[in-house]
Amino acid sequence: MKNAPTILVVDDDPNLRKTLSDILRNKGYEVVSAGSGAAGIAEALRVSAGVVLIDLMLPDMSGIEVMEKIKAAAPLTEAIILTGHASLDTAVEATNKGAFSYLLKPYDVEKLLRHIQRALERQQTQQEITRLAFFPRMNPYPVLEINAVGELTYINPAAAKVFPDLVVAQPVRDALGDLSEALGNGERREVVRELHIGQATFEQHLYPVPGSDLARVYMMDITERVRSEAAIRESEERYRSLFENMLGGLAYCRMVYEDNLPCDFVYLDVNPAFETLTGLKDVIGKKVSDVIPGIRETNPELFEVYGRVAASGVPEKLETYVPALDIWFSLSVYSPQKGYFVALFDNITARKDHEIKLGRLNQLLQTIRGINEYLLVAENEEALYRFVCEALKGLEGIVGVIVGIRLPDHVLKSVGWAGFSVEMASSLSVRWDDSPLGGGVMGTAAREGRSVVADDIENDPRYEPWREIVQTWGLKSAAAVPLVFEGEVNGVLSIYSGARHAFDEQAIHFLTEVAGDIAIGVHALRLDQNLHATLGHLRSSMNSTVEAIASMVELRDPYTAGHERRVSQLACAIGKEMGLPERQVEGLRVIGYLHDIGKIAVPAEILSKPTRLTDIEFAMVKAHPQSGYDILKNLEFPWPVAQAVLQHHERLDGSGYPQGLPAEEIILEARIVMVADVVEAMGSHRPYRSAIGFEAALAEIKANRGRLYCKKVVDACLSLFTEKGFRFEA
């Protein structure tokens, strides 16, 4: 700061010198320091210090001796004695020998600053008086002399303007205030005070003139200074009020470097909110590493940011968690000068806790959603248990998860796990009775049918049987909820954390919901298994019935025995080659067996006639698709069996029978069966002709591909015979 007063700090404690120097520089002073009395005397004369702060106990001489030598060489230099050893005698001695004031350590910084300010003001006044004392008539300020009886003996022109009624050789009475202190009997002394005359304020200095009974009065008009000081005080009070009443914390600090790297910082000033928000007290002048031990290891980012800001002057913001205080902080950092920084901060722990809880809740909801989605595709109970365990293991802080099922012999068998080795989980000895192996959360939850939490299993005596497992896997807390299927406890879901007290009421509620989802999934899987078993029985019964009906047709036409079975076989193969769903292929199998069921209505002698059929006889044979439809139309199949039976002799060009349907009205199943029927019939023997052969049959469908027969069906059939080596089963 330009023309700033110089303060000299003389103290043998380097930390105190550094801290006090930083505080004073922050207040705008030029500061020099010395670590001994001799060095202090030399510095005081070198820099013309305005105020010297002197430690009473110095290694080479006393602080009072230092003060005397400094004032002997520079009488106008003011001295403030600082000491940690209170003594009335030394206080009196220091004051009598010219000390401006005497303060005890630890001193209040604000009080020290006030003493320094007043000492500088007195020094400046003394300097002005000394400068003008030699030229009283030319002095722009009032100068007067009064004798012992209070009569005016001299008044300069400036004083005459202020006091026009005063006359030399006449008493001044009360015009100059009470003069008894300067004129009274006994030892006379210098008096400095303020005097208000009208709207003006003067600083009045009264001191005895050596070798006479006169007292000289110097008066300086300090009206503007008083007004400025009042404005400054008002500004400082506003700043101090803001500083002390702001809700956010503020810390002004000096960065400490080691090998040009930030390694520590010293608190130079903090506001009251600092203590409220951090719980830290009496930090001014102390290093943060002493205030919060271990903070350099837990929060290196603080030193990086503070050091960067103090060096560059570029403000930064950050949020960080300080484990030693268990507090989250939001910080804005700027630098008022190189090597220093100011941290404005707020305690955001509540907000962070809320954010963390929301994050955890969102993670839990996502986990539940994933589990619920998996319930729709789980193939068996073991896969479901495994998926749930893996999903829960993905939660923050979870070390492992185990699902155990109750066995009749009171053993809890691990059927699913995550986070643990196969050897550990499969060999884990847990029971659901009241034995020691049933004392953990798994056994208790399975036995009593309620949720159970163990907050500190490292020190929980119930976990003595599993002490080695707890230590090996770093388990700190555990929770378990029962798995209830159809009103009975069938097992338990247990979860383990690497932190103590990890499972609160919300976590238990979540685990209970997961356990409910598992129960729903297991119930659905078991229902599905039962349904599949029932469907299997029904399918077996239906197949037996279909095959029995086909056998009845074969009995009436022994020359075509096996035709229905072979058509069914080829139709299914074509369907698979075309990539049809398994369910639709199953329908082709049934349609293949039943496609000629209408021949029951055709006389047996016509079916087995070895010669060419008459027109009437052929018309009776051509009616068998309609007869088959009439037999099947009222039976409920999950496939269009009756419709396919009706259409299996239709052709795409409309030349087929019994309805002569165009291509777009012929269903896919009928298109497949018609090709399979043609190929099998041409390749097999008939009463009225020998087998034509499969090569001729394939040539037939290839020649009429797209005209009589569906292109895709023909292509699939040709591929089966020519590329896949299809052969009818015996």
Side-chain angles (χ1 to χ4, degrees):
M1 179 182 291
K2 188 176 180 180
N3 299 324
T6 299
I7 309 297
L8 171 61
V9 179
V10 184
D11 199 299
D12 60 340
D13 184 341
N15 291 329
L16 187 146
R17 285 202 311 273
K18 181 63 176 173
T19 300
L20 188 53
S21 297
D22 288 337
I23 293 173
L24 293 173
R25 287 193 185 96
N26 181 44
K27 297 301 181 181
Y29 296 113
E30 295 288 341
V31 183
V32 293
S33 63
S36 66
I41 295 169
E43 282 294 304
L45 299 180
R46 183 181 69 81
V47 301
S48 299
V51 176
V52 185
L53 307 179
I54 310 172
D55 184 19
L56 183 62
M57 305 294 291
L58 293 169
D60 54 347
M61 63 184 78
S62 74
I64 294 177
E65 185 179 355
V66 174
M67 176 190 69
E68 288 182 297
K69 292 183 178 182
I70 291 175
K71 291 187 74 67
L76 295 182
T77 298
E78 298 291 349
I80 297 175
I81 302 297
L82 307 174
T83 180
H85 308 283
S87 167
L88 179 60
D89 292 339
T90 54
V92 171
E93 180 185 4
T95 303
N96 288 339
K97 291 186 176 181
F100 179 81
S101 61
Y102 181 94
L103 294 177
L104 296 178
K105 299 178 182 178
Y107 43 79
D108 179 83
V109 173
E110 293 298 327
K111 183 177 181 180
L112 174 62
L113 293 172
R114 288 195 298 270
H115 279 239
I116 292 173
Q117 181 61 33
R118 288 200 295 268
L120 288 170
E121 291 171 358
R122 188 170 84 167
Q123 183 201 46
Q124 292 166 1
T125 300
Q126 290 291 350
Q127 289 174 339
E128 184 69 10
I129 291 172
T130 300
R131 186 178 68 83
L132 297 174
F134 298 103
F135 310 99
R137 287 191 61 80
M138 298 175 62
N139 198 321
Y141 299 115
V143 180
L144 307 93
E145 285 184 353
I146 301 95
N147 61 22
V149 295
E151 294 176 345
L152 182 67
T153 61
Y154 174 80
I155 182 169
N156 76 342
K161 291 181 180 180
V162 177
F163 305 104
D165 296 333
L166 293 182
V167 179
V168 174
Q170 297 294 322
V172 297
R173 298 184 177 85
D174 296 330
L176 300 178
D178 185 5
L179 302 177
S180 59
E181 290 183 275
L183 301 176
N185 295 327
E187 182 180 355
R188 297 188 298 169
R189 59 188 179 82
E190 181 182 354
V191 177
V192 180
R193 63 191 181 186
E194 287 187 3
L195 182 66
H196 299 281
I197 301 175
Q199 298 296 318
T201 301
F202 291 87
E203 187 173 81
Q204 189 183 63
H205 292 255
L206 300 93
Y207 62 91
V209 178
S212 71
D213 64 349
L214 299 177
R216 183 167 291 173
V217 180
Y218 288 94
M219 298 178 61
M220 296 182 64
D221 189 340
I222 60 171
T223 304
E224 289 304 318
R225 192 182 83 187
V226 169
R227 290 174 181 169
S228 297
E229 288 176 350
I232 291 172
R233 281 195 302 272
E234 183 179 352
S235 177
E236 288 180 345
E237 287 172 1
R238 282 199 302 268
Y239 167 77
R240 178 54 57 180
S241 176
L242 174 64
F243 181 78
E244 293 182 350
N245 293 293
M246 63 187 296
L247 297 179
L250 183 150
Y252 173 61
C253 307
R254 173 176 57 84
M255 205 72 221
V256 177
Y257 295 88
E258 186 175 300
D259 297 330
N260 294 323
L261 296 176
C263 64
D264 215 333
F265 57 88
V266 178
Y267 291 105
L268 302 181
D269 203 0
V270 298
N271 69 340
F274 176 93
E275 179 178 326
T276 302
L277 295 174
T278 67
L280 301 174
K281 300 180 179 180
D282 303 323
V283 302
I284 295 178
K286 297 179 181 178
K287 293 181 178 179
V288 70
S289 58
D290 296 328
V291 175
I292 310 175
I295 191 171
R296 279 183 289 194
E297 291 71 32
T298 60
N299 295 90
E301 74 284 352
L302 283 177
F303 296 86
E304 293 173 7
V305 172
Y306 291 164
R308 194 161 54 240
V309 172
S312 69
V314 179
E316 293 191 32
K317 291 183 176 182
L318 77 155
E319 292 183 354
T320 190
Y321 173 72
V322 180
L325 304 179
D326 192 22
I327 296 175
W328 274 93
F329 292 103
S330 173
L331 299 119
S332 297
V333 190
Y334 74 94
S335 174
Q337 65 184 97
K338 192 175 181 64
Y340 298 78
F341 68 88
V342 174
L344 301 169
F345 65 90
D346 203 357
N347 184 329
I348 59 170
T349 304
R351 191 195 84 194
K352 279 293 183 180
D353 287 345
H354 183 64
E355 289 177 357
I356 291 171
K357 286 183 179 179
L358 284 179
R360 288 175 179 169
L361 179 59
N362 182 61
Q363 189 182 29
L364 297 180
L365 291 175
Q366 291 295 330
T367 301
I368 289 178
R369 177 182 176 182
I371 291 173
N372 287 338
E373 290 177 350
Y374 187 78
L375 294 179
L376 302 175
V377 298
E379 296 180 354
N380 52 63
E381 292 181 30
E382 290 73 17
L384 174 61
Y385 295 143
R386 188 166 54 252
F387 181 87
V388 170
C389 290
E390 291 291 348
L392 296 179
K393 172 62 176 64
L395 296 176
E396 183 180 356
I398 299 305
V399 174
V401 185
I402 297 177
V403 172
I405 296 299
R406 293 199 329 181
L407 299 181
D409 59 357
H410 289 88
V411 169
L412 267 177
K413 179 183 178 182
S414 299
V415 294
W417 58 83
F420 301 116
S421 66
V422 175
E423 293 77 15
M424 191 285 279
S426 59
S427 63
L428 182 65
S429 296
V430 181
R431 298 180 62 82
W432 54 280
D433 54 19
D434 56 2
S435 68
L437 291 176
V441 294
M442 288 184 68
T444 305
R447 182 176 62 255
E448 300 180 6
R450 62 180 180 85
S451 59
V452 183
V453 175
D455 290 321
D456 184 8
I457 60 179
E458 278 187 313
N459 301 302
D460 193 326
R462 295 176 298 176
Y463 276 83
E464 193 59 39
W466 309 283
R467 187 63 57 204
E468 183 178 350
I469 292 175
V470 169
Q471 294 174 351
T472 300
W473 294 92
L475 310 181
K476 298 295 191 330
S477 59
V481 293
L483 300 178
V484 181
F485 305 151
E486 299 178 353
E488 293 186 3
V489 177
N490 281 28
V492 62
L493 168 64
S494 60
I495 186 167
Y496 302 86
S497 173
R500 296 181 180 86
H501 302 277
F503 303 106
D504 55 13
E505 184 177 348
Q506 184 183 56
I508 295 302
H509 177 76
F510 164 72
L511 290 176
T512 302
E513 186 169 347
V514 172
D517 290 341
I518 294 174
I520 292 172
V522 170
H523 181 67
L525 285 170
R526 292 179 180 178
L527 284 178
D528 191 55
Q529 290 171 357
N530 293 336
L531 178 60
H532 275 79
T534 301
L535 289 175
H537 291 307
L538 291 174
R539 185 178 295 108
S540 178
S541 298
M542 182 186 68
N543 290 340
S544 297
T545 301
V546 168
E547 291 174 7
I549 294 173
S551 297
M552 291 171 58
V553 175
E554 291 179 354
L555 288 174
R556 301 190 72 252
D557 185 7
Y559 293 101
T560 60
H563 170 70
E564 285 79 5
R565 177 175 53 79
R566 289 191 292 274
V567 169
S568 176
Q569 181 185 349
L570 180 55
C572 289
I574 292 173
K576 290 179 181 179
E577 182 70 13
M578 293 176 67
L580 299 184
E582 184 65 31
R583 183 176 177 81
Q584 196 169 7
V585 172
E586 178 68 15
L588 289 173
R589 194 187 70 79
V590 173
I591 295 169
Y593 268 104
L594 298 180
H595 76 284
D596 277 345
I597 191 174
K599 288 184 178 180
I600 291 177
V602 179
E605 57 271 19
I606 294 177
L607 293 176
S608 58
K609 183 178 178 181
T611 60
R612 186 178 182 84
L613 298 178
T614 65
D615 291 342
I616 295 175
E617 292 171 336
F618 186 55
M620 293 177 67
V621 172
K622 289 174 62 177
H624 81 273
Q626 183 66 52
S627 299
Y629 174 77
D630 293 338
I631 294 170
L632 299 171
K633 65 181 180 181
N634 293 323
L635 297 180
E636 292 187 6
F637 288 98
W639 314 283
V641 175
Q643 195 72 12
V645 168
L646 177 64
Q647 297 179 1
H648 79 278
H649 275 292
E650 299 288 352
R651 297 294 181 262
L652 299 187
D653 63 354
S655 62
Y657 63 87
Q659 296 175 302
L661 296 176
E664 62 271 15
E665 294 184 22
I666 302 173
I667 64 175
L668 178 60
E669 287 82 355
R671 296 182 182 206
I672 293 173
V673 171
M674 74 170 66
V675 170
D677 187 35
V678 168
V679 171
E680 198 286 329
M682 291 181 67
S684 300
H685 177 76
R686 288 293 182 268
Y688 50 86
R689 64 161 172 78
S690 300
I692 300 174
F694 288 114
E695 289 186 7
L698 297 177
E700 158 65 19
I701 62 173
K702 184 176 182 180
N704 292 290
R705 175 180 176 273
R707 187 176 72 83
L708 301 180
Y709 313 112
C710 174
K711 292 181 180 180
K712 292 182 180 180
V713 176
V714 170
D715 291 343
C717 185
L718 292 173
S719 174
L720 286 173
F721 280 93
T722 61
E723 298 177 15
K724 305 294 177 64
F726 176 83
R727 293 293 181 270
F728 288 107
E729 296 177 2

